[in-house]
Amino acid sequence: MNSLKRKLTLALHEIGAIKFGSFKLKSGLTSPFYIDLRLIVSYPKITDLIVRLLQDTVEDLNFELITGIPYTALPVASVLSTKLNTPLIYQRKEPKAYGTRQRIEGVYKKGDTCLVVDDVMTTGESKIEIAEALMNAGIIVKDFVIIVDRSFEGSAFLGRHNFKLHAILSIKEIIETLFEESFLTAQQKNAVEIFMQTDHRDVSGRSLDSISDVCSNDLTNKLIHKMIEKKSNLIVSLDADNQHDFFDILEKVADEIVMVKTHVDIIKDFDAAFVKRLKELASRKNFLIFEDRKFADIGSTVRKQFLSGIYKIADWADFVTVHSVAGEGILKGLFDGTDVNCSAFLLAAMSAKGNLISDTYTRTTIAMGAENSKFVSGYIGFAKNEEDLRKLKTKLPQDMLLLMPGVNLDVKGDNLGQQYVSVKQAIAGGADAIIVGRGIIASDDPQKEAARYRKEAWDAMEKYGRIVE
Ligand code: S5P
């Protein structure tokens, strides 16, 4: 390793920007090392060293602009910008991380290429987000340059999005140097090496228990415990249009399901007796109630839709679905100070063909859920194949569930745009529970079909290590 890199490694270690031991990460994982480069601003000599190394690293790259990802990398990018005499732009970091339209400060024109400077590479997710925002403004992004790469195959991850990663230091280089200088024992070095060999981003295999372990939303935990108790992660979507059919089917499938999903506005003879009977059956047969209301209006309106009207959903639903399109106010409108015992699933991705949900919308929705975890139990998500579903699951916070509709064992879709995948694909991709409607309720023998879906899903959960015995 060149002597400047070595010098930087030792300096970062000396100021405590790189530490070894046992650290609980935001994700809930325990890591044998910790990197926090926020303090480098207090050490101008270190910043200068970093900028010299950055200059070497980007020497052969072409760009007309430089940006630094706030906050840590922004001052560094600013120094680099003056050294290279290349203009700087930056995006405002709004207090709410999920504001989609981040403003870009500084002078630029469409078609300019911008070098992105960041401090650390961990998963790469935030890098993609920044790149998307810049590209939405017509700016071209090709290269990311970072100070420390602590990622698992981060370069390949960015490569799949057509970006190149350039790092001053990798964790491997850091531990080599510190070990040589006797700042690290062989045991500590080994622990870091083992940690780095695992793709910690692959959380599609997260068990139900591990979600419950880090989750403080009581309703999420209630649902998880019921799943484990009933050995079922099947949610039946009971879209019958009258009470007779509704209860006829529900009685038949009740032992197989963990939850019934309703669209209560479909029931043409809805009355208070419907709610009474539904609650009684839910308690007798030990399942929960999920009203798929898909709230989508401003906070003040959804509050009324939730609490009053004919349905008084808040009185009986354990969970409701919510569209994030109206912004955070929708969650506040539904739950803040309303004293209801109900939690939300946000629609992060839909099964309907041609739906307008974009990657950015999905990410923003996930962030909104993460910031409102006392009101949100997880997400409704769908992907047409296992790999895309796994990517979605990987982005979810550790304490959130992924429920997946669009599951059918016999057909691939309907003529109104619904798309289906198999139970196995759903669970292998990381769905924690499946939502099945017509596959069960339109069959001649709903009880038998429910048992079939329940068994397939639960067997797959066991096979993929999602249930801790
Ligand atoms: O993206 C979605 C989200 C939901 S909640 N796609 C869906 O199909 N759903 C709901 O799941 C939909 O409203 C319906 O109630 C159920 C799927 O029913 P099926 O008969 O197609 O299995």
Side-chain angles (χ1 to χ4, degrees):
M1 200 195 321
N2 78 32
S3 62
L4 278 188
K5 284 191 185 193
R6 204 176 177 87
K7 206 169 152 188
L8 177 62
T9 305
L10 296 173
L12 291 176
H13 183 252
E14 196 187 331
I15 64 167
I18 300 174
K19 288 184 191 147
F20 297 88
S22 180
F23 303 93
K24 191 112 177 140
L25 302 178
K26 249 192 294 176
S27 58
L29 280 175
T30 304
S31 165
F33 64 96
Y34 183 73
I35 297 172
D36 181 359
L37 300 184
R38 279 174 300 186
L39 45 156
I40 56 178
V41 284
S42 306
Y43 301 90
K45 286 208 169 98
I46 295 183
T47 304
D48 184 56
L49 194 54
I50 289 170
V51 172
R52 277 161 66 193
L53 283 159
L54 287 176
Q55 277 181 277
D56 292 347
T57 313
V58 303
E59 208 171 33
D60 298 327
L61 307 179
N62 294 315
F63 49 90
E64 288 91 36
L65 296 168
I66 294 177
T67 192
I69 301 182
Y71 293 101
T72 307
L74 191 51
V76 177
S78 166
V79 179
L80 182 67
S81 144
T82 60
K83 284 271 158 71
L84 297 176
N85 192 25
T86 303
L88 184 83
I89 55 169
Y90 65 93
Q91 293 181 69
R92 272 181 182 284
K93 196 170 170 138
E94 299 299 343
K96 295 279 171 266
Y98 46 81
T100 40
R101 251 169 259 127
Q102 280 171 315
R103 261 177 60 197
I104 297 171
E105 306 290 350
V107 181
Y108 63 92
K109 58 181 188 318
K110 282 199 169 124
D112 280 349
T113 299
C114 184
L115 173 76
V116 184
V117 183
D118 203 2
D119 54 344
V120 177
M121 172 83 182
T122 309
T123 66
E125 291 294 338
S126 65
K127 313 262 184 297
I128 303 293
E129 234 166 89
I130 295 287
E132 265 176 14
L134 291 169
M135 291 187 304
N136 284 342
I139 297 165
I140 298 167
V141 177
K142 291 182 189 155
D143 297 287
F144 284 86
V145 62
I146 55 161
I147 304 168
V148 177
D149 183 3
R150 61 162 299 168
S151 68
F152 178 84
E153 295 178 355
S155 179
F157 172 77
L158 288 188
R160 285 196 288 277
H161 290 84
N162 296 321
F163 303 122
K164 260 193 112 158
L165 181 69
H166 311 268
I168 298 181
L169 290 168
S170 69
I171 277 294
K172 194 165 174 290
E173 290 170 323
I174 290 172
I175 55 170
E176 290 297 339
T177 304
L178 294 177
F179 181 64
E180 277 164 26
E181 300 285 338
S182 304
F183 286 116
L184 209 59
T185 63
Q187 209 182 2
Q188 283 175 315
K189 181 168 172 269
N190 194 32
V192 177
E193 280 164 353
I194 291 170
F195 185 84
M196 291 307 295
Q197 277 161 17
T198 317
D199 184 358
H200 298 288
R201 294 183 308 116
D202 183 11
V203 289
S204 58
R206 202 149 57 199
S207 73
L208 292 176
D209 303 71
S210 71
I211 299 172
S212 179
D213 281 350
V214 292
C215 178
S216 50
N217 180 313
D218 291 344
L219 280 157
T220 315
N221 285 323
K222 193 170 169 183
L223 176 57
I224 292 175
H225 295 149
K226 221 172 267 303
M227 285 195 227
I228 294 169
E229 193 187 333
K230 279 191 99 172
K231 293 191 187 315
S232 170
N233 61 342
L234 172 64
I235 299 167
V236 71
S237 176
L238 226 165
D239 299 343
D241 69 359
N242 64 83
Q243 290 201 38
H244 175 271
D245 290 355
F246 183 94
F247 287 113
D248 179 48
I249 298 171
L250 191 52
E251 290 275 1
K252 288 177 180 150
V253 303
D255 286 332
E256 309 293 340
I257 61 170
V258 69
M259 184 146 78
V260 62
K261 185 173 80 60
T262 54
H263 279 293
V264 76
D265 53 350
I266 296 179
I267 312 269
K268 51 191 171 203
D269 51 351
F270 175 87
D271 57 13
F274 172 85
V275 171
K276 194 160 170 259
R277 191 165 166 198
L278 178 58
K279 282 170 83 169
E280 181 279 320
L281 190 56
S283 126
R284 179 159 51 88
K285 293 287 190 176
N286 196 22
F287 60 79
L288 295 170
I289 305 172
F290 183 18
E291 165 55 22
D292 190 5
R293 176 60 182 75
K294 296 193 178 72
F295 290 104
D297 214 316
I298 58 166
S300 136
T301 304
V302 293
R303 177 169 294 202
K304 290 178 196 154
Q305 291 172 321
F306 186 41
L307 298 175
S308 70
I310 321 169
Y311 303 119
K312 297 189 180 55
I313 295 164
D315 286 354
W316 50 270
D318 297 299
F319 298 96
V320 289
T321 43
V322 177
H323 277 301
S324 57
V325 67
E328 193 187 29
I330 197 163
L331 290 171
K332 303 261 184 279
L334 289 170
F335 303 112
D336 215 7
T338 51
D339 194 29
V340 292
N341 197 21
C342 183
S343 186
F345 282 92
L346 295 174
L347 284 112
M350 291 195 72
S351 64
K353 205 173 192 160
N355 73 78
L356 303 182
I357 292 182
S358 65
D359 280 357
T360 309
Y361 183 94
T362 300
R363 254 197 296 274
T364 312
T365 303
I366 293 169
M368 190 195 286
E371 295 210 1
N372 291 280
S373 57
K374 62 177 174 171
F375 306 138
V376 178
S377 290
Y379 306 91
I380 301 287
F382 175 88
K384 270 195 298 187
N385 59 59
E386 221 174 284
E387 201 195 325
D388 287 349
L389 188 63
R390 198 168 292 132
K391 275 189 206 148
L392 172 66
K393 178 63 179 275
T394 304
K395 291 176 192 154
L396 303 191
Q398 301 249 318
D399 56 349
M400 294 280 166
L401 291 170
L402 176 63
L403 311 187
M404 175 140 162
V407 176
N408 196 301
L409 287 169
D410 304 306
V411 288
K412 293 262 169 285
D414 66 13
N415 57 9
L416 294 174
Q418 176 67 307
Q419 308 180 100
Y420 291 120
V421 299
S422 70
V423 171
K424 198 183 142 287
Q425 279 174 310
I427 305 295
D432 296 302
I434 53 166
I435 297 174
V436 182
R438 285 162 287 179
I440 293 172
I441 70 163
S443 82
D444 294 338
D445 191 345
Q447 196 281 327
K448 189 171 142 224
E449 284 305 304
R452 178 180 171 221
Y453 278 90
R454 186 199 69 76
K455 183 169 183 337
E456 271 221 19
W458 201 253
D459 285 354
M461 289 292 278
E462 286 181 336
K463 179 174 162 207
Y464 293 109
R466 311 274 296 283
I467 318 288
V468 179
E469 290 302 326

